[in-house]
Amino acid sequence: MKILDGQLVSQATKDELKIKVAQLVAEGKKVPHLAAVLVGNNGASETYVGSKVRTCEEIGFHSTLIRLDESISEFKLLETIEELNNDMDVDGILVQLPLPKHISDEKVINAIHPSKDVDGFHPVSVGKMVQSLPTFIPATPHGIMLMLEHYKINTKGMHAVVIGRSNIVGRPMSILLSANSNPGNCTVTICHSHTKNLREICLQADIIVAALGRPEFVKPDMVKDGAIVIDVGITRVPDATKKRGYALKGDVEFDTVAPKCSWITPVPGGVGPMTIAALMTNTYNACLLKH
Ligand code: NAD
């Protein structure tokens, strides 16, 4: 069993970007600028946005964090996005999800100009991804593909089972793994909360991508020997032994599943850091395309 070390690959990606930014500075060119919008004060969202902003600083990108009150109207939020769309210095816009219930995720995502859609959630970006055209790929699936590429895992012809069909992870992951590319060229089965015989389907998988948000859901009796297991899940589970009062759990029961795998991602230290590295790559590309 070998570990797909997201921390290591993410650091390598960030180091490369750092060098590229230093080159831009040396040539007197524009440095990438990411604007992050955080509505309310959800603990997990605070953590995610915080690490995205810190990573920008580490690499040498400019970043702006716009904090908005939980009670902000949808109209005001859309106005903020329009201002960022029109701000020539801003290359990428990310709106941290989930948004409060009175705001439509769809309207907000659709309001971001596709040229600044570094999260890759806009229908224009998704449409291009489906057609394998150059575009911004949603950060988590993009990060997973970068990791498979880094470890030179040849996925051609493999049966990939993706558990979860969300627009931000499961569905784009299924599209990328089935694309005529490397990594890619898999036969993909996408499973969800209404799937019957999930265990039997998983047992046929050469690759399992678990993205359902149910801590330690994938057990060893669902995994065939030698499978590659990518654990996307991150759930905060109350844990009195931890200083912060919770532990982070993936969707895979790591200790029992790992011995059966050829490769597996840990949580934390697997897909999470890769998501940030992929977002930074998208932001760099957004800047390069514009200037
Ligand atoms: P989501 O709630 O939007 O989607 C979950 C999906 O899982 C749904 O399609 C649902 O049908 C499916 N599902 C739920 N229960 C199931 C079951 N019992 N059997 C089969 N399918 C089932 O979640 P999401 O936004 O896709 O996130 C999934 C997980 O990944 C969460 O834990 C989230 O925190 C984590 N996540 C991690 C990163 C990262 O960077 N590591 C990024 C995004 C999301």
Side-chain angles (χ1 to χ4, degrees), residues 140 163-166 168-169 192-193 198 211-214 217 232-235 271-272 275:
T140 301
I163 317 176
R165 59 177 166 187
S166 72
I168 64 168
V169 191
H192 46 77
S193 48
L198 182 64
L212 66 161
R214 303 267 182 279
F217 179 91
V232 182
I234 312 176
T235 307
V271 174
T275 297

Side-chain angles (χ1 to χ4, degrees), residues 24 29-33 61 89-92 115 118 136 280-291:
L24 291 177
K29 292 187 179 154
K30 189 190 174 303
V31 163
H33 180 175
F61 288 4
D89 196 63
V90 170
D91 301 298
S115 67
V118 286
F136 301 115
M280 296 299 138
T281 304
N282 282 353
T283 306
Y284 177 81
N285 289 338
C287 176
L288 225 62
L289 282 170
K290 198 144 60 74
H291 301 279

Side-chain angles (χ1 to χ4, degrees), residues 91-114:
D91 301 298
I93 303 169
L94 90 82
V95 179
Q96 189 64 43
L97 301 177
L99 290 168
K101 288 208 165 49
H102 65 278
I103 299 177
S104 152
D105 288 7
E106 192 189 333
K107 275 193 196 162
V108 170
I109 289 167
N110 289 5
I112 297 171
H113 193 279

Side-chain angles (χ1 to χ4, degrees), residues 5 138 159 162 193 195 201 208 220 283-284:
D5 187 342
H159 180 202
V162 178
S193 48
T195 298
I201 296 169
I208 296 177
T283 306
Y284 177 81

Side-chain angles (χ1 to χ4, degrees), residues 215-263:
E216 302 190 320
F217 179 91
V218 176
K219 307 280 189 215
D221 67 350
M222 298 168 73
V223 180
K224 80 171 177 191
D225 285 333
I228 299 166
V229 173
I230 314 277
D231 189 353
V232 182
I234 312 176
T235 307
R236 290 180 172 197
V237 177
D239 185 341
T241 68
K242 304 270 181 208
K243 211 165 129 196
R244 55 192 177 187
Y246 63 87
L248 290 179
K249 292 279 178 204
D251 286 346
V252 177
E253 194 176 76
F254 184 87
D255 291 346
T256 54
V257 170
K260 299 192 79 175
C261 301
S262 55
W263 294 92

Side-chain angles (χ1 to χ4, degrees), residues 22-94:
Q23 263 165 5
L24 291 177
V25 172
E27 290 165 13
K29 292 187 179 154
K30 189 190 174 303
V31 163
H33 180 175
L34 176 70
V37 180
L38 177 62
V39 182
N41 38 24
N42 172 292
S45 295
E46 289 265 0
T47 308
Y48 297 145
V49 169
S51 58
K52 288 165 188 174
V53 168
R54 269 198 310 280
T55 308
C56 282
E57 284 162 14
E58 189 191 324
I59 295 175
F61 288 4
H62 292 160
S63 67
T64 304
L65 172 56
I66 299 163
R67 287 176 172 276
L68 300 170
D69 195 80
E70 178 91 24
S71 63
I72 190 168
S73 69
E74 185 179 88
F75 182 77
K76 268 276 171 215
L77 176 56
L78 292 172
E79 261 187 357
T80 305
I81 302 217
E82 198 46 31
E83 280 165 24
L84 294 172
N85 281 339
N86 293 330
D87 184 336
M88 288 306 287
D89 196 63
V90 170
D91 301 298
I93 303 169
L94 90 82

